[in-house]
Amino acid sequence: MRSPLKAGMTDKEINSYNSLIRNLLFIHLQNHQILIQYIDFTIKQKYKLDMKNKSIMEAFSEEYSSGKGWAAEQEKKSWFFVWSARMASLLMVLLILFLGIFAFGYADNIGQVKVDRLQDTDFVLKEANVLSTDWSGDAGEQTSTLTIPTGQNIFSYVSDAREAKRSFWMIAAKLSAKIPAGTKVVGKVRVSNDSSTWSEWYDLDLEKLSNEQNKDVTEVPILLEKKSKYAQYSLVLSSDDVNLTPEIYDVDLVLIDPDDKLALVKKGWSSLMARVSGSTGVDVISRSEWGADESIMTWDDKEYAPVEQIVVHHTAGSNNSPLDPAAVVRGIYYFHAVEKDWGDIGYNYIIDQDGNIYEGREGGFGVVAAHSSGNNYGSVGIAIIGNYSEDAPASQSMDGLINLVEYIGYQGDLDLTTKHNFEGNNVPVVAGHRDVNPTECPGDVLYAMLPDVAIAASQGENTLPAKTYQAQLVHQSQKSLDLKSGQIQKVVVTYKNSGSAVWLKQRGEVELVPVDPYPRSSGFATPDWDSVEVVGTMNQVTVMSGNEATFDLPLFGIDQAGQYGEKFALLGPDGLISGTEFSVNIDNQKSSVDSGEDSNIDNQNDQIIDDDNDSDNNTNDINDSDTSVVEADWYHSAWVAQTDHLTLYPGEEKSVWIDFKNTGKTPWYKDSDYPVRLGTANPQDRNSALAVVDSGWLSANRIEMSQWSVEPGEVARFRFTLKAGNNSSGVYQEYFRPVVENVTWMEDQGVYIQIEVVESQYMALFVEQSENPITLSSGRKARLWVELKNTGNVVWTKDSDTPVRLATDRDPDRASIFYSPGYWISDNRAASMKKNAVSPGDSVRFEVVVTAPDEPGSYREYFRPVADNMQWMDDLGIYWDINVE
């Protein structure tokens, strides 16, 4: 079949035909949707919200108070009509889609966001139509810096109309400017398609760009009601002091076209298939589904935190734009990732006018995003497309919001209707952006609805069943292995999360363990296992329901040749997860080198045993009084392998291990009347200064065996933790020797681990800080921040014996007059890090809430990083000038 489009048609003719198909498809889909929604209304177990006439809870109560019997009756009657309407609609939509695909085959279908820029570096005051009536400049004056004229407190500037290279759907601005405390810049923009009929003025909602002190930028790009070709902006500069002015160096308008010409066809097809299949669930639209251009995603330093808080936002601009919502998400994504240099979109989720939920920042549940400065760790950011300062969101949008909040509360075990302390503020668990940052977001109308959203979501959450942990084995990389003694090979297994619970690595709820039986100690455990009874958790940080997780299973070749069958399965919070068991068949061989070495060791052991028996030295016998039950000569060992020597900084902990082969005549047991353990040696039974009790150590001179039992010829592993003291730099050799408690010490083979404790270097480099100076009224609070880079050799930790904090300086440890109880750790410790750990080379932010004292004046407050209980770092000259009025 030939396309109704013909060669040689003008762009106008093609666009007209495309518009016809677009409108026909749109009208039919709308009618189809209305029909199905009307018929399905009585069988949907969801309430619809009419925000204009009643609250969410009123709608909830009204629908569920009296209509259940009637709904059940209507459900039976409506079944035939529902499916008849679906099948008839299918034929009509297929025809329209067929025509639409041909029409849009001629269209430019570039999914990537197209961007144009209009930059002002010279401000022409005459052509720009200066609004300030008292401006006294010369007509036609041109300046490279826009300021308030001398002697004035306010100045208004309107640019001339600028034509873009291509039409655009979204607009934002970036200002290079110096805006001192006590001054302000308010920006607006309007658009036109013909330079004569203009839209309303939209607020630019400027904010500081986090990584540039003198760059202000729109929070999110403004969504327009129609595609435009021209733009014009205005700036109002104001100051509390006639001798102080903002300085605007240039204005960059960012014009975004994220449109996909085939979006309506794609959306129509997805909507059709969902309707015909009877699907009524609200799913999260993945990044690939909404067309994320992953080539611009540069945010690879993912962080995770337990979810404690939900923060609701709105975006900006029109509530009635015909632009495909997926394109809107692509535009926001581009602006956040590229123009703001965040590397990814700032929100965790976005909701459109139809209630569809879009995946935002990559990483899944619990990933830290960038939606509310200083409040991103532990919070989930949800944005609804549109501006809700004066209008209410559509009922479908609120449906999507309630469902999403319910889901987050369910997975995060949140009490959605309460208030709590989050980042120093007492806020609702379901909060608006304005609750945690100084902004009007999410608009007065939407903000007023949030308490009802929390109640409705909480009631829905309470009706849900308990979370289930289920899994299906998808793939096993190897089912059989040929292992040699001392060799390590890895098997990778893949599972699909088929339960309702999200798997979170940070919780450690789903682990791979040896089974048959469970619990069981595996002789094939490697140092990478969590223990001989637990292999470990999945590689991914978060695994959503329906997604796949991979588990690494490294296996260590033992010194006993033979055929072995090792079985494993997943362990969840409620026990072993049914249907997850798999086997690995191991053909374990002793290498020729090992065989020779073992032979030599056995000969040496025989000689050692004879020497011990002939010797009058009884230091090897701990308790020989009960030889009628246990003979000391039954126990012998040979060193096999151990971890490498260590380098530690003061206060650092590392896990180590030593393997010994049972060369005696009787099994070794972990727990019995005569347990086999690893004791300190040289001198014997001394207390180790590096011991960490309860991490393999039973006491400062005894380490327990990892396995429950080790037969003669098998290898026992002793895994334990060593910790360097805070003032213990130097080289240490920790000697160890196997011992059978209450029976005898085994052979002393001079086994030791060498530990070099290097002098710790806590060092920091200043990166940037928040606005300085600032002005406050007495008693008022302000949130300041400074970003520092770890340039030392020690991992900074937030909660440990040596936490890194921001302390008062220039007279260190003094009590600050800006101390804010409830926000500071103490009157001389202003802030903890915003991360739990910061490795050398990484950066971290410290946020300080200051409270202005009662006494007016000009103050300079100094701060300095400190590793408490360890050392002060260098004075980096961190300070804020604070003017108190």
Side-chain angles (χ1 to χ4, degrees), residues 107-311:
D108 178 21
N109 183 31
I110 301 175
Q112 292 185 340
V113 173
K114 296 170 281 294
V115 183
D116 196 4
R117 287 181 174 80
L118 298 176
Q119 190 173 41
D120 258 357
T121 55
D122 293 312
F123 305 95
V124 183
L125 302 180
K126 178 183 178 182
E127 294 179 7
N129 184 23
V130 177
L131 299 183
S132 295
T133 57
D134 54 353
W135 178 70
S136 57
D138 296 331
E141 180 180 343
Q142 180 171 304
T143 176
S144 59
T145 303
L146 190 64
T147 58
I148 302 175
T150 304
Q152 294 181 203
N153 290 90
I154 191 168
F155 182 68
S156 301
Y157 175 85
V158 180
S159 75
D160 55 343
R162 301 299 181 89
E163 182 178 6
K165 294 179 181 178
R166 60 169 63 90
S167 297
F168 53 92
W169 275 108
M170 306 174 81
I171 186 170
K174 298 173 74 173
L175 273 65
S176 294
K178 183 177 180 180
I179 307 175
T183 69
K184 187 177 182 181
V185 175
V186 175
K188 294 179 182 292
V189 68
R190 66 176 183 174
V191 296
S192 173
N193 197 43
D194 55 11
S195 74
S196 59
T197 303
W198 291 87
S199 70
E200 63 178 294
W201 286 98
Y202 296 102
D203 289 328
L204 285 173
D205 292 328
L206 297 169
E207 63 179 11
K208 285 287 181 190
L209 193 58
S210 59
N211 59 349
E212 294 188 46
Q213 182 68 21
N214 291 329
K215 185 74 74 173
D216 286 66
V217 63
T218 308
E219 182 177 354
V220 289
I222 298 166
L223 175 61
L224 305 175
E225 290 189 359
K226 60 179 65 175
K227 210 166 187 180
S228 300
K229 192 68 184 297
Y230 295 86
Q232 189 177 30
Y233 70 89
S234 75
L235 298 175
V236 178
L237 288 63
S238 60
S239 175
D240 296 337
D241 185 346
V242 294
N243 296 315
L244 190 63
T245 178
E247 297 178 5
I248 313 297
Y249 307 120
D250 63 64
V251 177
D252 194 2
L253 294 181
V254 182
L255 313 174
I256 301 173
D257 178 16
D259 202 2
D260 177 356
K261 296 295 191 295
L262 287 177
L264 187 62
V265 175
K266 297 174 184 175
K267 184 179 178 183
W269 179 258
S270 299
S271 175
L272 169 68
M273 296 312 296
R275 287 297 177 182
V276 171
S277 65
S279 173
T280 58
V282 178
D283 297 322
V284 176
I285 298 171
S286 70
R287 292 169 65 93
S288 61
E289 289 172 327
W290 58 255
D293 179 4
E294 300 298 4
S295 68
I296 67 173
M297 205 286 285
T298 58
W299 183 72
D300 54 5
D301 186 20
K302 293 182 180 63
E303 296 181 88
Y304 288 82
V307 174
E308 306 173 49
Q309 179 69 48
I310 298 171
V311 181

Side-chain angles (χ1 to χ4, degrees), residues 485-656:
S485 58
Q487 181 186 24
I488 294 178
Q489 289 193 45
K490 183 172 69 175
V491 177
V492 179
V493 288
T494 304
Y495 285 97
K496 179 180 180 180
N497 178 0
S498 56
S500 62
V502 173
W503 298 354
L504 299 176
K505 190 180 185 75
Q506 64 197 25
R507 291 181 181 172
E509 295 170 323
V510 178
E511 298 175 308
L512 187 64
V513 296
V515 296
D516 195 24
Y518 173 79
R520 179 173 69 83
S521 297
S522 173
F524 294 90
T526 75
D528 292 330
W529 286 32
D530 288 353
S531 70
V532 292
E533 295 180 354
V534 178
V535 179
T537 187
M538 67 262 185
N539 295 322
Q540 293 76 12
V541 178
T542 178
V543 180
M544 311 296 287
S545 178
N547 290 352
E548 294 182 353
T550 58
F551 292 78
D552 289 340
L553 172 58
L555 296 168
F556 177 80
I558 61 177
D559 284 338
Q560 186 73 24
Q563 303 285 333
Y564 300 87
E566 287 283 291
K567 291 185 177 180
F568 301 88
L570 293 186
L571 176 67
D574 302 320
L576 294 177
I577 300 177
S578 175
T580 62
E581 184 175 300
F582 69 93
S583 299
V584 180
N585 297 316
I586 301 172
D587 184 2
N588 195 88
Q589 300 292 331
K590 294 177 66 175
S591 66
S592 58
V593 174
D594 287 343
S595 299
E597 289 176 352
D598 288 346
S599 178
N600 291 336
I601 291 174
D602 287 340
N603 292 335
Q604 292 172 6
N605 289 341
D606 290 341
Q607 183 64 43
I608 293 173
I609 292 168
D610 291 342
D611 289 346
D612 286 346
N613 288 338
D614 295 337
S615 174
D616 293 330
N617 186 350
N618 293 325
T619 58
N620 287 336
D621 295 336
I622 296 176
N623 186 345
D624 242 347
S625 61
D626 199 8
T627 54
S628 61
V629 178
V630 175
E631 293 288 346
D633 191 42
W634 294 355
Y635 292 93
H636 299 284
S637 67
W639 174 88
V640 175
Q642 69 181 65
T643 193
D644 293 334
H645 295 321
L646 299 180
T647 298
L648 298 175
Y649 62 81
E652 184 182 16
E653 298 180 5
K654 282 188 180 178
S655 178
V656 297

